[in-house]
Amino acid sequence: MKKQYFCNPLNMDYRYQFIEDMRSGEDKISREAADPSMILFQGKYYIFASMTLSVWVSEDMVHWESHRLPDSLPLYDYAPDVRVVGDYVYFSASRRGTICDFYRTKDILNGPFERIPGTFDFWDPNLFLDDDGKLYFYWGCNNVTPIWGVELDPETMIPKTERKELIYGQPEKIGYERVGENHSKMPLSEEEAVEKFKEFLKAQGKDADHLTEEQIGFAKIMFSQRPFIEGAWMTKYNGIYYLQYAGPGTEYNVYGDGVYESDSPLGPFHLAKSNPYSYKPGGFLRGAGHGSTMEDRYGNWWHTATMQISKNHDMERRVGIWRAGFDEDGVLFCNQQFGDWPMAVEQAKEDPWAKPEWYLLSYQKAMSASSSEEGREPSFAADENIQTWWRAPEISRASGFRWILVR
């Protein structure tokens, strides 16, 4: 079959929305899609992502179409999780402080979706069906609390066991969990975090001398420079359980996915030898965290994850897909070496380490233009950074004539 090509991020109509900035309190306009769950169901591929209000459908993993989901689903809840369980597809999404329900359907595009009442609240859910028919559930999204796991009753979705703590952040020991651009910030003590919060309050002209317990708790989360450990996804391969997780934060270029391994679905887990396995800190579009891992109908493995723009707002994000797999030693990997470049897809078994057929030629080449705005000079057209761009002045754009030259 003829080769087809796609480029990251996926070419979709990403939805505009207003999001409140937690620090300034202002509403900002941005487009986002994040936290993708990708599955193969009844011969087609489906991606569910945060804030799209839809599902993306493809028959070849190259051409994707958006289909609106019914309003009966919690479409404004983040991190939708989707898993195939027998003849059904199960759906859930995140909502703190409110009990979260489960939904299932035999027909994603036409429904109906049957509601299964939940019994507890969760954030960043992930459902996993084991080979023996037992159903497990993982969740967690915080820089204080862990990733939890529990076994569920497959009929009622009620926990059969007590929740178990599985993964905590360890930025003091694990370098790729440290926050900041290029992991540049070490975690702060609780006292240091509170002092940072006080400085923030003073800058806003607010009382910083009499903090409530709630404010102190907020300071420990938002100013501690500790990573958010989130976005669990479980994959089983050759008897080993691979519990994947995201960190340190979606707003950083180093947002990626790490993995722990175990011979049991509820652990104990140990950190895999090769980490992070999904990681793209440079290039045109950076970040590769909080995603899912799926085997296609030809035996190829793929990983899809969240990519960072964070220009208009921290939550301004897109979705990317890369080849993945397991090596002869059982190490889970994701190939993002040329993750920005056109990727060939054949409807067959493929080499996950195949070199790209198209190469970038314009990177950092000398650029000139008929005109440009200050801060939007021609060089930004070839710097491979999605947060920058060349733009002509208003008067030039209004005239309808402008040019840029690559040398």
Side-chain angles (χ1 to χ4, degrees):
M1 182 174 288
K2 184 179 179 181
K3 291 182 180 180
Q4 301 184 84
Y5 299 83
F6 75 91
C7 286
N8 287 317
L10 289 187
N11 183 23
M12 298 297 301
D13 292 329
Y14 293 87
R15 178 174 165 268
Y16 281 96
Q17 63 178 342
F18 293 89
I19 308 179
E20 182 181 355
D21 188 286
M22 294 183 65
R23 292 177 173 83
S24 68
E26 299 176 351
D27 279 341
K28 296 189 176 180
I29 301 174
S30 67
R31 294 189 297 164
E32 74 166 312
D35 322 317
S37 290
M38 181 167 63
I39 60 170
L40 172 63
F41 180 62
Q42 297 178 349
K44 294 184 179 181
Y45 303 101
Y46 297 85
I47 293 179
F48 291 72
S50 294
M51 295 299 117
T52 63
L53 308 187
S54 64
V55 57
W56 302 341
V57 188
S58 176
E59 294 187 358
D60 55 16
M61 294 197 66
V62 174
H63 304 94
W64 295 87
E65 292 184 354
S66 178
H67 292 260
R68 183 69 157 81
L69 289 168
D71 291 332
S72 58
L73 297 178
L75 302 180
Y76 288 96
D77 290 357
Y78 270 96
D81 175 64
V82 184
R83 279 294 185 128
V84 178
V85 180
D87 295 332
Y88 287 94
V89 167
Y90 279 71
F91 175 99
S92 62
S94 309
R95 181 173 296 187
R96 282 196 182 95
T98 302
I99 290 176
C100 301
D101 296 326
F102 296 90
Y103 301 81
R104 69 178 187 176
T105 185
K106 292 183 177 181
D107 188 336
I108 294 175
L109 299 186
N110 300 302
F113 283 81
E114 173 191 355
R115 174 177 168 266
I116 304 173
T119 57
F120 61 104
D121 70 315
F122 47 75
W123 198 275
D124 285 6
N126 179 237
L127 192 65
F128 169 70
L129 178 67
D130 206 348
D131 301 333
D132 57 7
K134 292 184 178 181
L135 200 61
Y136 297 89
F137 189 70
Y138 307 89
W139 75 100
C141 175
N142 208 300
N143 61 356
V144 177
T145 56
I147 299 287
W148 285 288
V150 70
E151 183 183 349
L152 296 181
D153 184 291
E155 295 297 323
T156 64
M157 305 300 282
I158 295 174
K160 295 181 65 175
T161 61
E162 293 294 324
R163 69 180 187 183
K164 190 172 182 180
E165 298 177 357
L166 302 179
I167 296 175
Y168 271 98
Q170 304 180 74
E172 294 86 356
K173 297 180 180 179
I174 302 175
Y176 68 82
E177 289 186 352
R178 293 171 190 160
V179 304
E181 191 81 359
N182 300 323
H183 306 296
S184 57
K185 298 180 180 179
M186 289 292 289
L188 301 178
S189 67
E190 292 184 3
E191 293 77 14
E192 290 171 324
V194 170
E195 287 303 313
K196 281 234 174 192
F197 182 51
K198 288 181 177 180
E199 293 174 8
F200 169 74
L201 291 176
K202 288 179 181 178
Q204 292 190 322
K206 297 179 180 179
D207 179 22
D209 298 322
H210 305 90
L211 298 184
T212 65
E213 289 298 320
E214 183 179 4
Q215 287 177 316
I216 292 175
F218 176 82
K220 292 177 182 178
I221 293 174
M222 297 305 298
F223 292 87
S224 67
Q225 297 182 180
R226 299 194 66 83
F228 268 64
I229 302 302
E230 56 193 25
W233 184 270
M234 175 62 81
T235 302
K236 186 179 183 181
Y237 181 78
N238 285 349
I240 303 298
Y241 297 86
Y242 297 81
L243 181 54
Q244 299 141 67
Y245 73 103
T250 192
E251 68 272 32
Y252 303 119
N253 70 311
V254 289
Y255 194 42
D257 285 332
V259 58
Y260 280 74
E261 299 174 355
S262 178
D263 57 6
S264 171
L266 293 178
F269 286 90
H270 64 270
L271 194 65
K273 295 180 179 179
S274 180
N275 262 303
Y277 84 95
S278 176
Y279 192 66
K280 191 179 180 302
F284 175 68
L285 191 56
R286 311 176 305 173
H290 194 150
S292 54
T293 304
M294 179 210 72
E295 187 178 15
D296 71 15
R297 54 177 170 252
Y298 304 104
N300 303 301
W301 287 90
W302 297 87
H303 185 66
T304 179
T306 307
M307 307 196 75
Q308 175 233 13
I309 295 180
S310 302
K311 180 67 175 179
N312 294 326
H313 190 278
D314 286 350
M315 300 294 119
E316 188 180 13
R317 300 168 292 173
R318 301 291 186 268
V319 172
I321 299 179
W322 306 270
R323 290 190 177 92
F326 299 85
D327 70 13
E328 59 185 13
D329 295 319
V331 174
L332 174 61
F333 65 82
C334 183
N335 181 8
Q336 288 145 338
Q337 291 181 348
F338 303 96
D340 294 327
W341 299 3
M343 189 180 305
V345 178
E346 297 183 79
Q347 305 305 310
K349 181 67 174 176
E350 300 183 62
D351 177 8
W353 296 104
K355 299 296 183 183
E357 299 173 9
W358 296 13
Y359 283 81
L360 178 67
L361 300 178
S362 60
Y363 181 54
Q364 291 187 341
K365 289 293 190 297
M367 312 290 288
S368 60
S370 55
S371 61
S372 62
E373 284 187 0
E374 184 178 356
R376 297 281 181 260
E377 287 76 23
S379 60
F380 290 121
D383 66 348
E384 281 299 285
N385 184 346
I386 201 169
Q387 294 181 323
T388 65
W389 56 90
W390 162 71
R391 184 164 65 185
E394 286 288 345
I395 186 170
S396 176
R397 297 206 302 274
S399 71
F401 178 79
R402 54 197 180 275
W403 57 262
I404 187 167
L405 177 66
V406 182
R407 295 194 299 275

